[in-house]
Protein backbone atom coordinates (compact mmCIF):
# COMPACT_ATOMS: atom_id res chain seq x y z
CA UNK A 1 0.00 0.00 0.00
CA UNK A 2 1.42 3.35 -1.01
CA UNK A 3 1.58 5.98 1.75
CA UNK A 4 2.17 9.64 0.95
CA UNK A 5 3.13 12.00 3.75
CA UNK A 6 1.30 15.30 3.74
CA UNK A 7 1.02 18.39 5.91
CA UNK A 8 -2.53 19.13 4.77
CA UNK A 9 -4.23 15.84 3.81
CA UNK A 10 -6.22 14.67 5.69
CA UNK A 11 -7.51 17.68 7.60
CA UNK A 12 -6.37 18.16 11.18
CA UNK A 13 -8.00 15.72 13.58
CA UNK A 14 -7.57 12.78 11.22
CA UNK A 15 -4.49 10.61 10.82
CA UNK A 16 -4.85 9.21 7.32
CA UNK A 17 -7.24 9.07 4.40
CA UNK A 18 -7.45 6.50 1.62
CA UNK A 19 -7.96 8.09 -1.78
CA UNK A 20 -8.30 5.55 -4.58
CA UNK A 21 -6.06 3.06 -2.79
CA UNK A 22 -3.34 5.57 -1.93
CA UNK A 23 -3.06 6.51 1.73
CA UNK A 24 -2.33 10.14 2.60
CA UNK A 25 -1.02 10.52 6.14
CA UNK A 26 -0.38 13.66 8.14
CA UNK A 27 3.33 14.19 8.77
CA UNK A 28 2.65 14.82 12.46
CA UNK A 29 1.02 11.36 12.76
CA UNK A 30 3.88 9.31 11.35
CA UNK A 31 4.88 6.59 11.47
CA UNK A 32 1.52 4.95 10.92
CA UNK A 33 0.80 2.06 13.24
CA UNK A 34 0.08 -1.42 11.93
CA UNK A 35 -3.52 -0.92 13.08
CA UNK A 36 -3.95 2.23 11.00
CA UNK A 37 -2.36 0.56 7.98
CA UNK A 38 -4.77 -2.37 8.40
CA UNK A 39 -7.68 0.06 8.74
CA UNK A 40 -6.73 1.69 5.45
CA UNK A 41 -6.21 -1.71 3.80
CA UNK A 42 -9.80 -2.60 4.76
CA UNK A 43 -10.93 0.62 3.06
CA UNK A 44 -8.89 -0.31 -0.03
CA UNK A 45 -10.81 -3.59 -0.22
CA UNK A 46 -14.14 -1.75 0.13
CA UNK A 47 -13.08 0.77 -2.52
CA UNK A 48 -12.18 -2.01 -4.98
CA UNK A 49 -15.46 -3.84 -4.34
CA UNK A 50 -17.49 -0.74 -5.19
CA UNK A 51 -15.32 0.32 -8.11
CA UNK A 52 -14.03 3.52 -6.53
CA UNK A 53 -16.92 5.83 -7.48
CA UNK A 54 -19.54 3.66 -5.75
CA UNK A 55 -17.54 3.68 -2.53
CA UNK A 56 -17.09 7.43 -2.35
CA UNK A 57 -20.69 8.11 -3.39
CA UNK A 58 -22.13 5.76 -0.76
CA UNK A 59 -19.62 6.97 1.83
CA UNK A 60 -20.67 10.61 1.45
CA UNK A 61 -24.39 9.79 1.23
CA UNK A 62 -24.26 7.63 4.34
CA UNK A 63 -22.31 10.32 6.19
CA UNK A 64 -24.94 12.92 5.23
CA UNK A 65 -27.80 10.70 6.41
CA UNK A 66 -25.99 9.98 9.68
CA UNK A 67 -25.20 13.69 10.08
CA UNK A 68 -28.89 14.55 9.81
CA UNK A 69 -29.60 11.94 12.45
CA UNK A 70 -26.78 12.68 14.92
CA UNK A 71 -26.25 16.40 14.21
CA UNK A 72 -22.58 15.72 14.98
CA UNK A 73 -19.97 15.24 12.22
CA UNK A 74 -17.66 13.02 14.28
CA UNK A 75 -20.49 10.74 15.43
CA UNK A 76 -21.76 10.60 11.84
CA UNK A 77 -18.28 9.64 10.60
CA UNK A 78 -17.90 6.86 13.19
CA UNK A 79 -21.35 5.48 12.27
CA UNK A 80 -20.63 5.04 8.54
CA UNK A 81 -20.80 1.31 7.76
CA UNK A 82 -17.41 1.38 6.00
CA UNK A 83 -15.83 2.97 9.07
CA UNK A 84 -17.58 0.64 11.49
CA UNK A 85 -16.23 -2.38 9.64
CA UNK A 86 -12.74 -0.88 9.54
CA UNK A 87 -12.66 0.26 13.18
CA UNK A 88 -14.07 -3.02 14.51
CA UNK A 89 -11.53 -5.12 12.61
CA UNK A 90 -8.40 -3.04 12.20
CA UNK A 91 -6.64 -4.70 15.14
CA UNK A 92 -7.09 -8.11 13.51
CA UNK A 93 -4.21 -8.37 11.05
CA UNK A 94 -5.73 -11.55 9.60
CA UNK A 95 -9.12 -9.94 8.94
CA UNK A 96 -8.68 -9.37 5.23
CA UNK A 97 -7.72 -13.03 4.75
CA UNK A 98 -11.06 -14.17 6.15
CA UNK A 99 -13.33 -11.26 5.22
CA UNK A 100 -16.30 -12.03 3.00
CA UNK A 101 -16.99 -9.83 -0.01
CA UNK A 102 -19.15 -6.76 0.74
CA UNK A 103 -18.79 -7.40 4.48
CA UNK A 104 -19.47 -3.70 5.16
CA UNK A 105 -23.17 -4.48 4.53
CA UNK A 106 -23.22 -6.26 7.89
CA UNK A 107 -22.48 -2.93 9.57
CA UNK A 108 -25.42 -0.96 8.21
CA UNK A 109 -27.90 -0.50 11.04
ZN1 LIG B 1 -11.57 4.77 8.12
Amino acid sequence: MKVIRSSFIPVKGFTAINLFGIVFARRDCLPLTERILNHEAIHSRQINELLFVGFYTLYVLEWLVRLLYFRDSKKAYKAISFEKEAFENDSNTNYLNTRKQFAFLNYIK
Side-chain angles (χ1 to χ4, degrees):
M1 183 165 27
K2 184 158 180 62
V3 177
I4 295 177
R5 290 173 277 164
S6 170
S7 299
F8 310 104
I9 304 172
V11 295
K12 214 167 189 156
F14 292 89
T15 303
I17 187 170
N18 189 327
L19 297 174
F20 303 99
I22 300 170
V23 175
F24 291 82
R26 289 190 66 87
R27 286 184 194 280
D28 51 353
C29 296
L30 294 170
L32 295 180
T33 64
E34 190 172 355
R35 186 174 187 165
I36 291 171
L37 289 169
N38 195 37
H39 183 100
E40 297 307 329
I42 292 168
H43 284 321
S44 288
R45 186 72 61 86
Q46 297 164 340
I47 290 166
N48 288 333
E49 286 173 345
L50 294 173
L51 308 175
F52 298 91
V53 175
F55 172 83
Y56 292 107
T57 301
L58 290 175
Y59 191 103
V60 170
L61 285 175
E62 188 175 355
W63 180 78
L64 288 171
V65 169
R66 306 258 184 217
L67 183 61
L68 287 172
Y69 180 78
F70 289 114
R71 306 273 182 202
D72 180 308
S73 60
K74 199 81 173 184
K75 279 185 183 172
Y77 158 74
K78 290 275 190 177
I80 297 170
S81 58
F82 301 112
E83 292 300 344
K84 283 167 58 179
E85 180 191 7
F87 279 113
E88 286 185 26
N89 297 290
D90 59 11
S91 61
N92 176 1
T93 54
N94 194 43
Y95 178 67
L96 286 175
N97 295 323
T98 59
R99 178 186 182 269
K100 291 193 167 57
Q101 199 169 26
F102 301 108
F104 60 86
L105 293 172
N106 297 324
Y107 295 85
I108 296 176
K109 291 174 193 147

